[in-house]
Amino acid sequence: TPTFLQMAGSIMANTNLPPVYHFRVAAACHRAGRMEEMTRALDFFLSRIPPDTPPEAFIDVTRMYVAAQKVDRASATLEEYLRRRPTDWRAWMDQASLLISMSRTNDAVKALEAAIRIGGTEAFSYVNQNPAFGSIRDEAMRRARNIVGLPMPEARGQPQLW
């Protein structure tokens, strides 16, 4: 509605407000399906984000960027989350998916490798069940096996672990 857009516009125009206001405008725009305004509010929020921002805020921003099909920005914010929470193997899986969609195969393999290394058997199972990882699965698992010390399958006769 025009009133909503006017209110959001006046908040976004006020650069003296704390960044959290821009985040709230972005969330409201997301709920209203106003992706262009949401993206502008998120961009401003991230340009002024305080260093002590909780890591979970980056997950919320990532989800909103994905909804707006801004995959490059989503990947960048998820990367920031992973700097703050490097043991979240599910986030590493999400990062691998985003990187695949951007045709950054080598980076996607590294992200998937990290997910497998951190997530163990649960991550192995998820990777095997998710067809999105088919193109990079074998390489990531090979690297993860070497890192975690799992035996590499020899020639014929040795069972495949996955």
Side-chain angles (χ1 to χ4, degrees), residues 71-89:
V71 180
D72 55 335
R73 292 176 182 161
S75 178
T77 56
L78 189 54
E79 187 175 313
E80 183 59 37
Y81 169 80
L82 286 166
R83 272 196 273 286
R84 297 165 186 238
R85 291 284 192 270
T87 59
D88 185 343
W89 69 266

Side-chain angles (χ1 to χ4, degrees), residues 10-160:
S10 67
I11 291 172
M12 290 189 332
N14 187 342
T15 58
N16 293 321
L17 290 173
V20 69
Y21 283 85
H22 293 86
F23 178 82
R24 289 180 183 155
V25 166
C29 289
H30 178 249
R31 286 189 299 276
R34 306 293 303 199
M35 297 302 153
E36 186 177 324
E37 292 87 352
M38 179 198 73
T39 299
R40 278 199 314 268
L42 288 176
D43 290 347
F44 187 81
F45 168 71
L46 288 173
S47 74
R48 298 184 57 227
I49 194 166
D52 62 344
T53 299
E56 293 73 24
F58 291 97
I59 293 292
D60 294 336
V61 171
T62 299
R63 288 183 182 130
M64 286 189 265
Y65 275 140
V66 166
Q69 299 179 349
K70 304 291 184 187
V71 180
D72 55 335
R73 292 176 182 161
S75 178
T77 56
L78 189 54
E79 187 175 313
E80 183 59 37
Y81 169 80
L82 286 166
R83 272 196 273 286
R84 297 165 186 238
R85 291 284 192 270
T87 59
D88 185 343
W89 69 266
R90 286 180 178 87
W92 283 108
M93 292 276 190
D94 292 340
Q95 183 69 314
S97 294
L98 290 170
L99 293 166
I100 288 170
S101 73
M102 295 184 324
S103 300
R104 291 178 47 194
T105 305
N106 290 335
D107 292 331
V109 169
K110 291 175 187 174
L112 194 58
E113 174 189 344
I116 294 167
R117 186 173 19 88
I118 295 163
T121 56
E122 190 175 0
F124 281 130
S125 176
Y126 184 80
V127 169
N128 277 326
Q129 295 172 13
N130 191 330
F133 297 126
S135 63
I136 64 169
R137 176 183 316 143
D138 293 342
E139 178 62 19
M141 287 189 168
R142 184 187 65 73
R143 290 182 187 185
R145 283 182 189 162
N146 288 338
I147 289 171
V148 297
L150 294 173
M152 291 297 294
E154 300 286 331
R156 283 182 253 163
Q158 190 161 9
Q160 294 290 325

